[in-house]
Amino acid sequence: LCWAIFSNSNHAFTIHNINDNNNNLKYQAQHRPRRSPDFLKLQAVKERTLILDGGFYSSILSYVDTVTTKCVPGIGTFTYVIGMYDGDKVLAMKVVAPDDTTKDTLSSSNNGEKANGSMEDDIVQLSDGTSVLQESICKIPKGVNEESALNTALLSLPVYCSAVNMNSNNNGKTTNGEAAASGGIAGDEDAKFPRRIVVMGGGDYAVFQARALDCIGSDVTLVTTQQNLNLKNCGAKVTLPEMVDQKSGDEVVPFAQALGTFDALIDTICDERNTGDRDDDDQPFRNKDLTMVPVVRTQESRVVEQLKSAHQCNNYISTYTRSQRMIRDLGPLFGQGKQRNYERDVQSIISKSSKLPIHAITPRNLMLYTTILEKLIQNKVTCNGRMLKGSTAVRGWNLQDFVEYTTWPREAEGANIRYGLPVLEDFSWNEVEIEEEKVEEDEQQKQRKERVMLPSTANNPFVLDIFGLEDLNTLIVGEKRNAVLFLSAPYCRMCKRIYPQYTRMARLGKEVHDDGVTFAKADTIGVKGTTLSKAMGVNAVPAFIMFREGEKYGTTLSVSRLPSKKLEKAVEYLSSGQEWDAKVFRELDEKDKKSRQ
């Protein structure tokens, strides 16, 4: 066989033999210089930056190095790369900007043991020239997926935070020895890991944390509302928020009380450190000029304080993101648009990091973090490769975590705290911060009371409208009423559906109780509504709160349909003067759940 090429320039044919041409191609292929697989991988070093925000960012500030310069508030970045180092495929923490800030961070990581002139010794280069921290280098064994390894490196921060305090002496210096000589990999001979730890949540991220902690030898209890969750090939115990008391052997008690003491608690569905309601992380998106403020740590809540004092839990770590908070506040239907806009905005801010200083996260005990990472990867306990994607990733939200948070039983005297956590028994109205301006003069209070009462009486003579904390204090607390307060929101379809039944309940209640119980309603939107819901500790509607003689009585009830045996029982207790029996309401909750199945 042959083929011909006609040339216009010389009007001639060139004849080529196809067999000769094929032989020539085979010869070139056999003698072409071959590039090693390692060389090919070097041409596409994988890099991923995790953006930390919300309660997740606030929680880890106590366990990472603090920058000395000002930076954009409310967000931080954590960057890992995959490349080649001394012929091995490795994970390593990228040096984002080798400037004075990086040197300060490295100096802090090494507790000032090295002089400033030797800071360059901590930074090495991968084969492609990427600068990384030597103590962060972790070999990737064969058979481990690169995407999973990269996500594991970025999402293992809670595991590290649970152990960091156990590997520090009184001076704050690390105690887990020097890095191993081969490749700068940290040794684990002296590393200490938490003995007993609790993980709250049943989603993919919570399951990964439980598996990771089990891998490093911790006694893990995963607390979730999912009754059929099964962790295969994992020693972690799975339990509901209520557990059988180990001392009595038959009494059902909250999980914290049943467990007694534990070293750390990782919370994947909420943030009890600041209840997820602080607006510190909103600031970069309210001002186009992005006002720079120093990184500050969030004050601890009373729940976290009681975890320390009652259960010796010195590490409370929340992985609650700002995206999760948005969906919680607005609901999946109305919150997804705002959440997507937020992700776009924050990724845009990170892309401008050359001009805007961003807090680049560096674990205070980097050798310990590398030790943990090595254990996980060598045992192939890795994170789902689909959990984070792209070069810049934001941990978003998922429906499973949202449903678990909203359906988690609540039982706390004076606050809407998830069942199982320590109860705030010292709740006092005097400690509630009233953000609205107080009306001090009697005449002004009287006029305002009349202004509140008139529209309520005109529109619904059976239900008293409450507008904010001040009305609540004036009309219910101040008058020492027995009352039922229905907290709702205009966007809540369930609230709209049950409001006519609530009105009917109020009308019948006036007839039965002879005006002894006031039925009231308040919205949780706007400045007044938000202040009221914060003071009541209510994060989800519809919710019902009882008051006996002006004081909060019993537990905040979550009721999705009326009539409700649970709410009717609460009103019966309220009007009869009975003491609140939490066990009765838990049993009613269980019956209600079974009836829906």
Side-chain angles (χ1 to χ4, degrees):
L1 295 176
C2 62
W3 53 277
I5 297 179
F6 180 77
S7 174
N8 290 328
S9 60
N10 53 17
H11 304 282
F13 287 92
T14 301
I15 307 298
H16 295 273
N17 187 295
I18 289 181
N19 291 330
D20 291 342
N21 188 59
N22 288 342
N23 292 334
N24 184 42
L25 291 175
K26 291 179 180 179
Y27 176 84
Q28 292 179 7
Q30 292 173 355
H31 293 82
R32 183 185 296 118
R34 292 187 176 182
R35 296 180 176 180
S36 66
D38 289 347
F39 179 82
L40 294 176
K41 291 176 184 176
L42 283 177
Q43 307 311 306
V45 172
K46 288 190 175 181
E47 175 182 330
R48 181 163 294 155
T49 296
L50 172 64
I51 301 174
L52 299 107
D53 59 12
F56 195 5
Y57 176 71
S58 299
S59 286
I60 67 169
L61 287 179
S62 299
Y63 308 97
V64 299
D65 288 320
T66 304
V67 294
T68 56
T69 58
K70 293 183 178 181
C71 60
V72 175
I75 56 175
T77 59
F78 193 44
T79 305
Y80 258 80
V81 297
I82 293 179
M84 303 300 296
Y85 184 74
D86 285 350
D88 296 317
K89 183 165 64 173
V90 298
L91 273 166
M93 186 183 301
K94 182 180 179 181
V95 177
V96 179
D99 53 11
D100 292 338
T101 302
T102 304
K103 291 182 179 182
D104 291 341
T105 301
L106 290 171
S107 177
S108 177
S109 298
N110 290 281
N111 302 297
E113 295 177 2
K114 293 186 179 183
N116 290 337
S118 60
M119 285 298 104
E120 290 78 5
D121 296 339
D122 295 308
I123 301 176
V124 297
Q125 290 187 336
L126 301 182
S127 299
D128 72 320
T130 302
S131 297
V132 298
L133 296 179
Q134 185 176 17
E135 290 181 351
S136 70
I137 296 176
C138 173
K139 295 179 183 178
I140 303 177
K142 293 182 179 179
V144 175
N145 179 274
E146 291 185 0
E147 286 289 322
S148 296
L150 201 55
N151 285 353
T152 301
L154 295 173
L155 294 174
S156 297
L157 275 171
V159 180
Y160 157 78
C161 293
S162 69
V164 68
N165 285 349
M166 303 187 67
N167 291 270
S168 300
N169 58 23
N170 294 333
N171 296 325
K173 296 184 178 181
T174 59
T175 60
N176 63 318
E178 295 295 333
S182 57
I185 308 299
D188 63 351
E189 296 179 358
D190 300 324
K192 301 176 183 178
F193 300 112
R195 292 167 296 177
R196 200 173 196 184
I197 191 166
V198 176
V199 178
M200 293 182 68
D204 292 341
Y205 195 38
V207 170
F208 167 68
Q209 299 300 322
R211 290 185 180 278
L213 289 160
D214 177 67
C215 178
I216 65 174
S218 298
D219 180 7
V220 187
T221 300
L222 181 70
V223 184
T224 175
T225 57
Q226 300 184 42
Q227 300 191 15
N228 300 319
L229 183 62
N230 183 20
L231 301 183
K232 296 181 179 179
N233 303 320
C234 179
K237 297 181 289 293
V238 181
T239 181
L240 295 173
E242 53 184 17
M243 296 176 61
V244 176
D245 190 4
Q246 298 177 359
K247 295 181 179 179
S248 63
D250 55 357
E251 183 183 0
V252 176
V253 297
F255 73 84
Q257 180 180 339
L259 293 174
T261 61
F262 40 91
D263 297 316
L265 189 150
I266 296 177
D267 192 348
T268 65
I269 58 174
C270 194
D271 177 23
E272 294 293 344
R273 185 178 295 274
N274 57 15
T275 66
D277 294 321
R278 294 172 62 93
D279 292 329
D280 297 347
D281 53 332
D282 290 345
Q283 186 174 346
F285 313 103
R286 292 178 175 177
N287 187 345
K288 294 183 179 180
D289 296 331
L290 298 176
T291 303
M292 306 305 163
V293 299
V295 173
V296 294
R297 294 185 171 89
T298 308
Q299 296 295 323
E300 293 182 347
S301 70
R302 288 190 289 180
V303 175
V304 178
E305 291 174 355
Q306 288 203 5
L307 281 171
K308 284 186 176 181
S309 60
H311 302 282
Q312 299 178 18
C313 176
N314 294 319
N315 296 310
Y316 173 84
I317 306 106
S318 171
T319 66
Y320 201 56
T321 64
R322 190 167 186 268
S323 294
Q324 287 177 290
R325 197 190 83 185
M326 288 181 183
I327 300 299
R328 181 206 68 186
D329 291 345
L330 301 176
L333 183 62
F334 297 97
Q336 290 189 62
K338 184 177 180 181
Q339 186 266 336
R340 284 194 293 267
N341 291 337
Y342 163 73
E343 285 196 8
R344 183 182 64 249
D345 291 343
V346 74
Q347 287 174 335
S348 174
I349 288 178
I350 298 302
S351 67
K352 302 173 183 177
S353 58
S354 58
K355 297 181 181 180
L356 297 174
I358 307 296
H359 184 194
I361 300 297
T362 302
R364 185 178 300 134
N365 189 338
L366 190 52
M367 288 188 292
L368 175 64
Y369 192 80
T370 306
T371 296
I372 293 172
L373 198 56
E374 278 187 324
K375 282 181 174 288
L376 300 183
I377 292 179
Q378 288 173 1
N379 290 279
K380 297 185 178 179
V381 180
T382 54
C383 199
N384 191 319
R386 299 185 298 273
M387 194 169 290
L388 297 177
K389 294 182 179 180
S391 59
T392 303
V394 181
R395 268 197 63 235
W397 72 282
N398 62 71
L399 186 60
Q400 185 177 8
D401 288 341
F402 172 77
V403 171
E404 179 153 30
Y405 173 77
T406 55
T407 58
W408 194 289
R410 264 72 171 174
E411 183 182 18
E413 297 296 331
N416 186 22
I417 300 173
R418 287 168 292 166
Y419 182 79
L421 293 171
V423 176
L424 295 179
E425 298 178 350
D426 57 342
F427 178 84
S428 171
W429 281 100
N430 294 328
E431 297 179 6
V432 175
E433 180 181 359
I434 301 177
E435 299 179 5
E436 304 172 44
E437 183 180 354
K438 294 182 178 180
V439 179
E440 297 180 352
E441 298 182 6
D442 294 340
E443 185 62 28
Q444 289 178 331
Q445 289 182 352
K446 181 178 179 180
Q447 292 176 0
R448 195 173 192 283
K449 177 179 177 181
E450 293 175 352
R451 187 170 67 252
V452 171
M453 291 291 289
L454 285 176
S456 173
T457 304
N459 297 329
N460 189 338
F462 306 107
V463 178
L464 171 65
D465 287 338
I466 298 293
F467 299 95
L469 260 181
E470 190 172 345
D471 281 352
L472 184 65
N473 281 284
T474 302
L475 303 178
I476 293 180
V477 177
E479 295 187 7
K480 297 184 178 181
R481 294 196 189 195
N482 292 340
V484 180
L485 178 62
F486 172 27
L487 293 178
S488 66
Y491 58 80
C492 174
R493 294 182 180 180
M494 190 179 299
C495 300
K496 293 179 181 179
R497 187 170 65 248
I498 67 176
Y499 182 61
Q501 286 84 1
Y502 181 69
T503 299
R504 181 177 182 273
M505 184 179 182
R507 178 175 59 81
L508 296 176
K510 285 182 180 294
E511 297 173 359
V512 174
H513 304 295
D514 192 26
D515 285 344
V517 177
T518 299
F519 289 82
K521 176 179 174 292
D523 283 340
T524 58
I525 63 170
V527 176
K528 295 181 180 180
T530 303
T531 304
L532 176 62
S533 61
K534 285 182 181 180
M536 296 294 96
V538 171
N539 297 319
V541 292
F544 294 84
I545 300 176
M546 261 53 64
F547 295 86
R548 174 178 285 174
E549 296 182 355
E551 295 182 0
K552 191 174 183 299
Y553 167 69
T555 302
T556 300
L557 301 180
S558 177
V559 175
S560 58
R561 57 185 177 182
L562 291 177
S564 165
K565 293 183 179 179
K566 183 168 57 174
L567 185 57
E568 290 173 354
K569 179 65 70 173
V571 175
E572 178 184 336
Y573 273 36
L574 180 63
S575 59
S576 64
Q578 288 181 258
E579 292 296 326
W580 188 267
D581 189 345
K583 185 177 180 180
V584 170
F585 289 91
R586 282 202 301 270
E587 292 174 353
L588 289 173
D589 270 331
E590 291 299 325
K591 290 180 181 179
D592 187 48
K593 290 179 182 178
K594 290 179 180 179
S595 66
R596 296 181 187 180
Q597 295 177 352

